[in-house]
Amino acid sequence: MFDYTAPLRDMQFILKELAGLDAVGALPGCEDASPDLVAAILEEAGKFAAGVLAPINRQGDEQGCRLEEGKVIAPDGWQEAYTQFSESGWIGLSLPTEFGGQGLPKLVSTPVWEMWFSTNMAFTMLPQLNVGQAEALLIAATEEQKQTWLHKVVSGEWASTMNLTEPQAGSDLAATRSRAEPAADGSYRLFGQKIFISYGEHELTPNIVHLVLARLPDAPTGVKGLSLFIVPKYLVNADGSLGDRNDVRCISIEHKMGIHGSPTCTLSYGDNGGAVGYLVGQPNRGLETMFIMMNEARFGVGVQGAGLAERAYQFALNYARDRVQGRDAVTGESGKPILHHPDVKRMLLGMRARVMAMRALLYTAAGWFDFAHYSADKAVADKYRRYVDLLMPVAKGWCTEIGNDVCDEAIQVFGGMGFVEETGIAQFFRDARIITIYEGTTGIQANDLIGRKILRENGATLRELIADLGATAMALREDEALADIADAFAETVDALETATDWVLANGQDRIADVLAGAVPFLYLLGTVVGGWQLARAAQAARRRLVEGEGDAAYHSSLVELARFYLATVGPQAAAHAATVCEAGGALTRFDDSAF
Amino acid sequence: MFDYTAPLRDMQFILKELAGLDAVGALPGCEDASPDLVAAILEEAGKFAAGVLAPINRQGDEQGCRLEEGKVIAPDGWQEAYTQFSESGWIGLSLPTEFGGQGLPKLVSTPVWEMWFSTNMAFTMLPQLNVGQAEALLIAATEEQKQTWLHKVVSGEWASTMNLTEPQAGSDLAATRSRAEPAADGSYRLFGQKIFISYGEHELTPNIVHLVLARLPDAPTGVKGLSLFIVPKYLVNADGSLGDRNDVRCISIEHKMGIHGSPTCTLSYGDNGGAVGYLVGQPNRGLETMFIMMNEARFGVGVQGAGLAERAYQFALNYARDRVQGRDAVTGESGKPILHHPDVKRMLLGMRARVMAMRALLYTAAGWFDFAHYSADKAVADKYRRYVDLLMPVAKGWCTEIGNDVCDEAIQVFGGMGFVEETGIAQFFRDARIITIYEGTTGIQANDLIGRKILRENGATLRELIADLGATAMALREDEALADIADAFAETVDALETATDWVLANGQDRIADVLAGAVPFLYLLGTVVGGWQLARAAQAARRRLVEGEGDAAYHSSLVELARFYLATVGPQAAAHAATVCEAGGALTRFDDSAF
């Protein structure tokens, strides 16, 4: 097991050079995000991640969770780590000061969460739920509800869950059956079963606040008949003290391939007369609010992809530097570490390139979030809101797929040792496998991208983004040393444009064919915007090199990193574009009975 | 858990239409392989796989193996299944009748082994070792050795192992340290530790025959100083009865991510005076013989890729036909199974296309083996021997990588249920992860492809193959209905030619750059020859359609399958070719200290 080293240099480079940390820090309400404070926070988070979360990650995998007489027992170390985590105020980092948070921009909290995910994803899912729930309550809860619940959710004194899935309602929430009956006192009684509820039950906090989707008696069918309810594990008295146990219980936990430290619960509501719940927001509008929480969670899952990939990369790199095997292909020398083999270096450089592309994309998107949220310039805020909306499925879908690929390649670097659990890398591979599934599978993200984000507005925002990509290619050409990068990147943008034209031309008449290419389109867009970020990194690095500022070796390496990405991942853009345009026909003609 | 259905129709189509079963059956020594006998064997194997091996696969995963007082205890059901398997004569299917085998061509045994791997890979690794060991002994052992060991290895009365890896000698066998000292009676005493020995110890057979690489006292350093020894678990008396326990013992077994039912042992030789061993073949020439066994094993691992992928595909297809979720993208209808969603159909069709491409490639290669082995026409035998040699790293490397991809995609079809172990699909994903590693990682296969199989002969065989690929494209054009397939396939061949030219042009001066593209080249070649096979399948299917023979719906579906592969996998060829030619420069310039 190798120690975790917070990648602070890479993080700082991206924050400052690509994601606009200075500009974000100048936004009204973001003044606290000074470079010094941000550096101090990242430093501190890196220590906490390496010193507290990383050391208990493997025992979480080995021990898993146990359900004993209705109680879920978390792995050793979880309680201490959670107490320290919440008491250090990490949960509220980006949440409003009014409710006990620190009110920092998302751009600052994103690298911090990346470090948590790198070092202990199963643990971090717990506080991550608080952040999502807080965002939902901030938007939809009444002032009284906020006072009752929000402070303790932000501080982490109480834990949070989100309850959507039911056995017959997975990706399709329209099939939700849980129901809520109004009670005389204005509250509700909930009945039904929810599955796949992360941290649905545990003893780590004195109370758990469930957010539950259910139907009111008179609700319309489909997703427009879902309402959202707060259902606490323990009722809360008027003075804030805990009252009776509510009528919700954990009836089983899943035996999963990964994230063993995170209990995945089946919760039964209302077996003894109904679980007391409180309506949040308007009746039948619950899904809209839940989507706020889910959007937060989706971005967070994208960050999980980058975080797991970073750690897997570190593991593989350390091993490749230690392990001596074989002879040098050129000199015939033996006794050198395997990093020296071109194929091993290829894997590691590919891992590094993709980690940096994901990270730069996610931080840039986090910056857009902040511009959208805080900018006083309506045009700026509006543009970045649209960019965030467009690229959210990519941030989630592409970064989780690539995160899996990187974890997979890390095992390959280890060879046989990677398949042995003691080595520790297998856990990352197993843990990562859930991230392309939960919070909406890659297919769901891709359908959202094609349907809601592109076709619904006839490609307007995507066209705007493509123009920005073209502008970057133009700007790259101004520096002759980057001309080859400009060309290679421009080729990927051309592929994106070709596929975009095709999707827009066929979105009406051949929607099934277009949706058959939805995931390839998502990969295509991810490939291009990932390359965009690395090309921008090369551009910024060259600026520093020309100015003779900073670490020249580091900056030179970023230029080669962009080249390597464009030579290895970049050519996939044209391949994905071809698939988008070509695959639907054969797929539609292939008769289902011939499978 | 879904039942296994032997894909007999697909197997028969490939055997007859693509892999030349009739021609193989006409070869001297292959006369027994009549269509009727082959059909009966496949039928019987399908029943055995579904009825005996599949039902114990999951318990093998759940129970794993235990080491208790030096004894390895296999999962429940293993003993009964092995007894039935060996007594049915399955091990000797393709081994010489002289030693108790059935002497059938490899083309016939390949689909049979595919079924074993589909239904229980961890179990099947055991008899698979016997086949590889038998091949090695047939080539290198003395007549007396053959009489002593081979009959029982072929029947399966005794089990086999291969012992190469040591802690410091993984991919690099030159670092082997185990040693063998000559004894007065002409035998040897072995000392050393071997790791990662599959089925290195168990109670399933009364004896285990280890084949061990070790160094003689006067041996040169490097791989040219390795000799091969038979080291039985129990010594064998002159009358064939079992004698004393030999000085080899299992000191630990690995805790692995998958193939839990297959014990992976650390074996210690010679802790009590030396393990009795018998030299096989010439001193210092052990690696050559071991490579025979390893080549057999490498092909077999490629078949594992196809077998696991077939079963994962069946799992996912059954689920997609059962699971109702969401609304139809075109009609808005609900209540339909998820197979109806274009993205789910895309995944399943992609899985089917790749399974068929792998299977057709492997069976075709098996046919080439038989031509090489049995053909009286020296030119034919020679050509196919060279084709087998060239494509062996692809059969292993590409089919295992694609096998993993298909198992991964199967989980995605299941969504959250795929991550839950009870569903059963996660096991295939975990089991599959070893196949790109053992018997030589994909990187090792790719280096072998570039170095020994292409550069060493200046691309001669590859050029010959490319000419054959071009001939197929030409032939496809003769049928207008296949013109688009011909074009799409020809594009992939062009990409292969471009990359081949580049590799041959730079193999001398820029070997590190060329090796940096070795794995992309292997993917490229796999993509193209996989497409070749599906294009040939489309051609054969069209012939039947035009003739009005056979199942028209099935044959039509094969034409669309080729189109779909060429639209989804095919475009990767150009991307891989670009990577082969472009990636090395940036990789070489990237300084190792900048990771």
Side-chain angles (χ1 to χ4, degrees):
Chain A
M1 187 63 124
F2 298 101
D3 288 341
Y4 170 73
T5 306
L8 297 180
R9 184 169 67 169
D10 291 335
M11 288 176 161
Q12 288 282 9
F13 180 87
I14 293 172
L15 287 174
K16 287 180 184 159
E17 302 285 351
L18 305 181
L21 180 61
D22 291 347
V24 167
L27 293 171
C30 297
E31 295 83 357
D32 284 353
S34 69
D36 286 353
L37 181 79
V38 171
I41 288 172
L42 295 186
E43 186 94 18
E44 207 49 49
K47 279 185 205 156
F48 194 94
V52 178
L53 299 189
I56 59 170
N57 188 39
R58 186 147 156 66
Q59 72 204 43
D61 184 58
E62 288 177 327
Q63 297 173 8
C65 300
R66 305 191 310 278
L67 177 64
E68 287 179 0
E69 296 171 11
K71 291 188 179 187
V72 172
I73 315 301
D76 292 346
W78 248 234
Q79 181 68 66
E80 297 76 1
Y82 183 75
T83 303
Q84 220 182 320
F85 189 93
S86 54
E87 287 180 355
S88 305
W90 288 117
I91 292 171
L93 198 63
S94 63
L95 294 170
T97 50
E98 181 188 352
F99 296 100
Q102 298 185 53
L104 286 164
K106 194 173 185 75
L107 183 54
V108 177
S109 64
T110 299
V112 171
W113 284 89
E114 183 201 309
M115 295 191 234
W116 311 145
F117 292 128
S118 277
T119 46
N120 199 328
M121 184 169 109
F123 171 86
T124 305
M125 290 169 66
L126 174 57
Q128 187 187 18
L129 284 158
N130 288 50
V131 177
Q133 187 171 84
E135 302 271 6
L137 294 179
L138 279 166
I139 300 273
T142 63
E143 196 48 42
E144 195 193 330
Q145 287 172 334
K146 286 181 189 168
Q147 293 305 330
T148 306
W149 309 103
L150 207 42
H151 291 278
K152 303 207 165 175
V153 165
V154 171
S155 71
E157 185 177 335
W158 295 346
S160 302
T161 72
M162 57 196 289
N163 289 237
L164 290 80
T165 307
E166 301 179 7
Q168 79 295 341
S171 295
D172 180 15
L173 292 171
T176 301
R177 286 186 198 145
S178 289
R179 59 198 174 80
E181 292 180 0
D185 64 354
S187 69
Y188 293 81
R189 296 296 170 273
L190 275 84
F191 304 88
Q193 197 182 91
K194 295 287 183 179
I195 63 168
F196 292 166
I197 309 307
S198 296
Y199 283 98
E201 176 59 44
H202 56 80
E203 304 294 312
L204 298 166
T205 51
N207 204 4
I208 301 174
V209 183
H210 304 294
L211 264 188
V212 184
L213 276 186
R215 292 187 182 284
L216 291 168
D218 56 349
T221 56
V223 289
K224 289 181 179 162
L226 298 176
S227 303
L228 190 60
F229 299 87
I230 291 173
V231 183
K233 176 176 171 183
Y234 286 98
L235 300 180
V236 177
N237 299 319
D239 64 357
S241 64
L242 295 185
D244 291 343
R245 184 74 157 81
N246 204 351
D247 185 11
V248 49
R249 64 202 176 88
C250 174
I251 54 176
S252 64
I253 60 174
E254 303 293 347
H255 173 216
K256 307 183 299 291
M257 181 161 59
I259 52 168
H260 295 159
S262 162
T264 304
C265 304
T266 298
L267 296 184
S268 186
Y269 289 88
D271 291 341
N272 296 299
V276 175
Y278 312 100
L279 181 68
V280 178
Q282 299 300 308
N284 302 330
R285 305 280 292 273
L287 199 62
E288 291 163 45
T289 308
M290 197 53 116
F291 262 118
I292 295 165
M293 186 170 179
M294 213 161 12
N295 256 339
E296 174 66 29
R298 284 180 174 181
F299 182 81
V301 177
V303 178
Q304 291 176 359
L308 290 171
E310 165 68 33
R311 188 84 200 280
Y313 161 69
Q314 289 192 16
F315 255 82
L317 178 60
N318 280 313
Y319 184 73
R321 282 185 164 146
D322 279 3
R323 171 77 171 168
V324 171
Q325 195 77 179
R327 284 180 306 162
D328 188 290
V330 179
T331 65
E333 243 176 303
S334 65
K336 287 198 173 178
I338 60 171
L339 177 56
H340 210 72
H341 294 299
D343 184 58
V344 175
K345 187 170 175 184
R346 174 190 67 84
M347 290 194 276
L348 286 162
L349 200 49
M351 292 164 80
R352 172 154 176 76
R354 284 172 291 171
V355 168
M356 284 294 275
M358 285 190 280
R359 179 180 287 137
L361 178 62
L362 290 162
Y363 294 9
T364 299
W368 292 342
F369 260 110
D370 294 325
F371 285 114
H373 194 73
Y374 296 105
S375 179
D377 184 334
K378 208 181 151 326
V380 167
D382 178 62
K383 171 176 172 161
Y384 289 123
R385 167 54 54 204
R386 285 183 292 108
Y387 272 25
V388 165
D389 284 349
L390 174 66
L391 289 183
M392 180 59 71
V394 178
K396 198 281 181 182
W398 188 71
C399 292
T400 57
E401 293 284 348
I402 298 296
N404 269 272
D405 290 349
V406 171
C407 291
D408 177 74
E409 200 137 51
I411 291 197
Q412 197 67 17
V413 170
F414 277 89
M417 290 303 297
F419 197 65
V420 172
E421 288 287 356
E422 278 73 7
T423 308
I425 189 64
Q427 181 189 348
F428 290 85
F429 178 74
R430 290 186 286 96
D431 284 357
R433 193 59 193 83
I434 191 59
I435 65 178
T436 64
I437 296 172
Y438 65 13
E439 306 303 340
T441 63
T442 308
I444 294 288
Q445 304 299 327
N447 284 350
D448 177 54
L449 175 65
I450 293 288
R452 287 193 204 89
K453 307 300 172 59
I454 297 178
L455 291 179
R456 186 178 284 179
E457 55 164 34
N458 202 29
T461 305
L462 179 55
R463 295 282 192 204
E464 194 177 349
L465 177 70
I466 289 174
D468 277 359
L469 300 173
T472 298
M474 290 284 284
L476 286 164
R477 287 210 179 84
E478 285 168 21
D479 181 347
E480 210 170 302
L482 300 175
D484 62 322
I485 291 180
D487 290 346
F489 172 58
E491 271 184 47
T492 70
V493 180
D494 288 349
L496 175 61
E497 206 156 8
T498 303
T500 300
D501 290 346
W502 191 89
V503 164
L504 291 171
N506 293 286
Q508 292 300 320
D509 299 339
R510 296 174 59 188
I511 184 64
D513 289 4
V514 170
L515 290 178
V519 166
F521 193 92
L522 182 146
Y523 290 155
L524 165 59
L525 186 49
T527 299
V528 177
V529 294
W532 183 35
Q533 296 304 324
L534 291 189
R536 291 180 66 223
Q539 192 180 28
R542 271 286 299 171
R543 216 157 32 219
R544 298 287 161 241
L545 283 167
V546 170
E547 289 163 358
E549 260 181 32
D551 181 343
Y554 178 67
H555 291 136
S556 297
S557 80
L558 290 176
V559 177
E560 296 303 342
L561 200 67
R563 286 203 173 95
F564 187 77
Y565 178 96
L566 288 166
T568 53
V569 187
Q572 301 289 326
H576 292 314
T579 297
V580 168
C581 305
E582 305 282 339
L587 180 131
T588 304
R589 285 191 303 274
F590 189 94
D591 196 275
D592 285 0
S593 65
F595 270 112
Chain B
M1 189 62 125
F2 296 102
D3 288 341
Y4 169 73
T5 306
L8 298 179
R9 185 170 65 171
D10 291 334
M11 288 175 160
Q12 288 282 8
F13 180 87
I14 292 171
L15 287 174
K16 288 181 184 159
E17 303 284 351
L18 305 182
L21 180 61
D22 291 348
V24 167
L27 292 170
C30 297
E31 296 83 355
D32 284 353
S34 70
D36 286 352
L37 181 78
V38 172
I41 288 172
L42 296 185
E43 186 93 20
E44 207 50 48
K47 279 185 204 156
F48 193 93
V52 179
L53 300 189
I56 60 170
N57 188 39
R58 187 149 156 63
Q59 72 203 42
D61 184 58
E62 289 177 327
Q63 296 173 9
C65 299
R66 304 191 309 279
L67 177 65
E68 286 178 1
E69 298 171 8
K71 291 190 177 184
V72 172
I73 315 300
D76 292 347
W78 249 233
Q79 181 69 66
E80 297 76 1
Y82 183 75
T83 304
Q84 220 182 320
F85 189 93
S86 53
E87 288 180 355
S88 305
W90 288 117
I91 292 171
L93 197 63
S94 63
L95 294 169
T97 49
E98 182 187 353
F99 296 99
Q102 296 185 52
L104 286 164
K106 194 173 186 73
L107 184 54
V108 177
S109 63
T110 299
V112 170
W113 284 89
E114 182 201 310
M115 295 190 234
W116 311 145
F117 292 130
S118 277
T119 46
N120 198 330
M121 183 168 108
F123 171 87
T124 305
M125 289 169 66
L126 174 58
Q128 186 187 18
L129 284 157
N130 289 52
V131 177
Q133 187 170 84
E135 303 271 6
L137 294 178
L138 279 166
I139 300 273
T142 63
E143 195 49 40
E144 193 192 333
Q145 287 173 333
K146 286 181 190 170
Q147 293 306 331
T148 306
W149 309 104
L150 207 43
H151 291 278
K152 302 208 167 174
V153 165
V154 171
S155 70
E157 184 177 333
W158 295 346
S160 303
T161 72
M162 57 196 290
N163 290 238
L164 291 80
T165 307
E166 301 179 6
Q168 78 296 341
S171 295
D172 180 15
L173 291 171
T176 300
R177 286 188 199 143
S178 290
R179 59 197 176 81
E181 293 179 359
D185 63 354
S187 69
Y188 294 80
R189 297 294 172 272
L190 276 85
F191 305 87
Q193 198 181 91
K194 294 287 182 180
I195 63 168
F196 292 167
I197 308 307
S198 295
Y199 283 97
E201 176 58 46
H202 56 78
E203 305 293 312
L204 298 166
T205 51
N207 204 4
I208 301 175
V209 183
H210 304 293
L211 264 189
V212 184
L213 276 187
R215 291 187 182 285
L216 292 169
D218 54 350
T221 57
V223 290
K224 289 180 179 163
L226 298 176
S227 302
L228 189 61
F229 300 87
I230 290 173
V231 183
K233 175 176 170 182
Y234 287 97
L235 299 179
V236 178
N237 299 319
D239 64 357
S241 64
L242 294 186
D244 290 342
R245 185 74 156 82
N246 205 349
D247 186 11
V248 49
R249 62 198 177 90
C250 174
I251 54 176
S252 65
I253 61 174
E254 304 293 346
H255 173 215
K256 307 183 300 293
M257 181 162 58
I259 50 167
H260 295 160
S262 163
T264 304
C265 304
T266 298
L267 295 184
S268 186
Y269 289 87
D271 291 340
N272 296 298
V276 176
Y278 312 99
L279 180 68
V280 179
Q282 299 300 308
N284 303 331
R285 304 281 293 273
L287 199 63
E288 291 163 46
T289 309
M290 197 54 116
F291 262 118
I292 296 165
M293 187 170 178
M294 215 165 8
N295 255 340
E296 173 66 29
R298 284 181 174 180
F299 182 81
V301 177
V303 179
Q304 290 177 359
L308 290 171
E310 166 67 33
R311 188 83 200 280
Y313 161 70
Q314 289 192 16
F315 255 81
L317 178 61
N318 280 314
Y319 185 73
R321 281 183 165 148
D322 277 4
R323 170 76 171 169
V324 170
Q325 195 77 178
R327 282 179 308 163
D328 188 289
V330 180
T331 65
E333 242 175 304
S334 64
K336 288 197 173 178
I338 60 172
L339 177 55
H340 210 72
H341 294 298
D343 184 58
V344 175
K345 188 171 174 183
R346 174 189 67 84
M347 292 193 276
L348 287 161
L349 199 49
M351 293 164 79
R352 173 154 175 75
R354 285 172 292 171
V355 168
M356 285 293 276
M358 286 189 280
R359 179 180 288 137
L361 177 62
L362 291 162
Y363 294 9
T364 298
W368 292 341
F369 261 109
D370 294 324
F371 285 114
H373 193 75
Y374 297 104
S375 180
D377 183 334
K378 207 181 151 327
V380 167
D382 178 61
K383 170 177 172 159
Y384 289 123
R385 166 54 56 202
R386 286 184 291 106
Y387 272 25
V388 165
D389 285 348
L390 174 68
L391 288 182
M392 181 58 72
V394 178
K396 199 281 181 182
W398 188 71
C399 292
T400 57
E401 294 284 347
I402 298 296
N404 269 272
D405 290 349
V406 171
C407 290
D408 177 74
E409 199 138 52
I411 290 197
Q412 198 67 17
V413 171
F414 277 89
M417 289 305 296
F419 198 65
V420 172
E421 288 287 358
E422 278 74 7
T423 307
I425 189 64
Q427 181 189 348
F428 290 85
F429 178 73
R430 289 185 288 96
D431 284 357
R433 192 61 193 82
I434 191 61
I435 64 177
T436 63
I437 296 173
Y438 65 13
E439 306 303 340
T441 63
T442 307
I444 295 288
Q445 304 300 326
N447 284 351
D448 178 54
L449 175 65
I450 292 289
R452 287 194 204 89
K453 308 300 172 60
I454 297 178
L455 291 179
R456 186 177 285 178
E457 55 162 34
N458 202 26
T461 305
L462 179 55
R463 295 281 192 207
E464 193 177 351
L465 177 70
I466 289 174
D468 276 0
L469 300 173
T472 298
M474 290 285 284
L476 285 163
R477 287 210 179 83
E478 285 169 20
D479 181 347
E480 210 172 305
L482 300 176
D484 61 323
I485 290 180
D487 290 345
F489 172 58
E491 270 184 49
T492 70
V493 180
D494 288 347
L496 175 61
E497 206 156 8
T498 303
T500 300
D501 291 345
W502 190 89
V503 163
L504 291 172
N506 294 286
Q508 292 299 321
D509 300 338
R510 296 174 59 188
I511 184 65
D513 289 5
V514 169
L515 290 179
V519 166
F521 193 93
L522 182 146
Y523 289 155
L524 165 59
L525 186 49
T527 299
V528 177
V529 294
W532 183 35
Q533 295 304 325
L534 291 189
R536 293 179 67 224
Q539 192 181 27
R542 271 285 298 172
R543 215 155 35 218
R544 299 286 161 242
L545 282 167
V546 171
E547 289 163 356
E549 259 181 32
D551 182 341
Y554 177 66
H555 291 136
S556 297
S557 79
L558 291 175
V559 177
E560 296 303 342
L561 200 66
R563 287 206 172 94
F564 186 76
Y565 177 96
L566 288 166
T568 53
V569 187
Q572 302 289 326
H576 291 313
T579 298
V580 168
C581 305
E582 307 280 340
L587 180 131
T588 303
R589 285 190 303 273
F590 188 93
D591 195 275
D592 286 1
S593 65
F595 271 112

